Amino acid sequence: MIGVNKVILVGNVGRTPDVVTFPSDGATPVKKASFPLATTEARRNRDNERVEITEWHNIVCWRGLADVAERILTKGAQIYVEGKLQSRSWEDKDGNKRHVTEVVADNILLLSKRQQEEPRNNPLMDILTPETEPLGDLPF
């Protein structure tokens, strides 16, 4: 029987990715980027009050995708992540058994617009405000 290990998440980056570069024998170094992703779900409780439930996911990117994550992801950015679940266990330096489940990303898509810089001497910014009426029917 063949199994399917596929994860699709849409959420907000919890912090700028941590990037580690591992040396490789004779080849180009391997880069790893990791960051938390928050997904929030809204529900109604028994009293019909709206409550939000946030889940945190550990996201890991390798090689070229790690380069992309390092360059474009910032805290708060909304992204689409596609990948697979991977679990691993180890013993820490105090001898405690540790366990983590991560999403190993195959694809990341930035959904939120990049934070825009201050407008540079744009005269339209002086006249176009939320209170400004539409400029009417333009021929284009």
Side-chain angles (χ1 to χ4, degrees):
M1 173 134 184
I2 296 175
V4 176
N5 184 356
K6 184 78 164 179
V7 176
I8 296 175
L9 298 169
V10 174
N12 296 86
V13 176
R15 72 168 180 271
T16 303
D18 295 326
V19 180
V20 178
T21 303
F22 300 99
S24 181
D25 296 336
T28 58
V30 175
K31 193 178 272 193
K32 173 188 171 189
S34 57
F35 58 92
L37 183 75
T39 57
T40 303
E41 184 179 348
R43 296 185 185 161
R44 298 259 175 211
N45 64 14
R46 291 181 183 199
D47 299 327
N48 204 26
E49 297 168 332
R50 186 175 190 266
V51 293
E52 290 186 348
I53 300 164
T54 301
E55 290 286 333
W56 287 92
H57 312 275
N58 299 315
I59 311 296
V60 176
C61 308
W62 290 93
R63 297 177 180 79
L65 193 55
D67 284 330
V68 171
E70 181 180 27
R71 281 186 283 132
I72 69 168
L73 296 183
T74 57
K75 181 179 180 178
Q78 186 179 40
I79 62 171
Y80 166 93
V81 176
E82 195 173 308
K84 64 182 178 181
L85 283 179
Q86 180 175 302
S87 297
R88 56 189 174 90
S89 302
W90 72 96
E91 260 188 43
D92 67 10
K93 62 183 178 184
D94 299 326
N96 299 318
K97 185 86 169 171
R98 308 290 261 164
H99 181 80
V100 68
T101 300
E102 301 167 321
V103 175
V104 179
D106 296 325
N107 190 16
I108 294 177
L109 194 65
L110 186 63
L111 299 177
S112 59
K113 293 181 181 178
R114 287 183 165 220
Q115 293 183 0
Q116 298 186 3
E117 299 174 17
E118 290 292 319
R120 296 184 188 123
N121 298 329
N122 186 348
L124 286 177
M125 296 308 290
D126 295 333
I127 60 171
L128 294 178
T129 64
E131 295 83 30
T132 306
E133 300 243 353
L135 297 176
D137 294 332
L138 297 175
F140 49 88

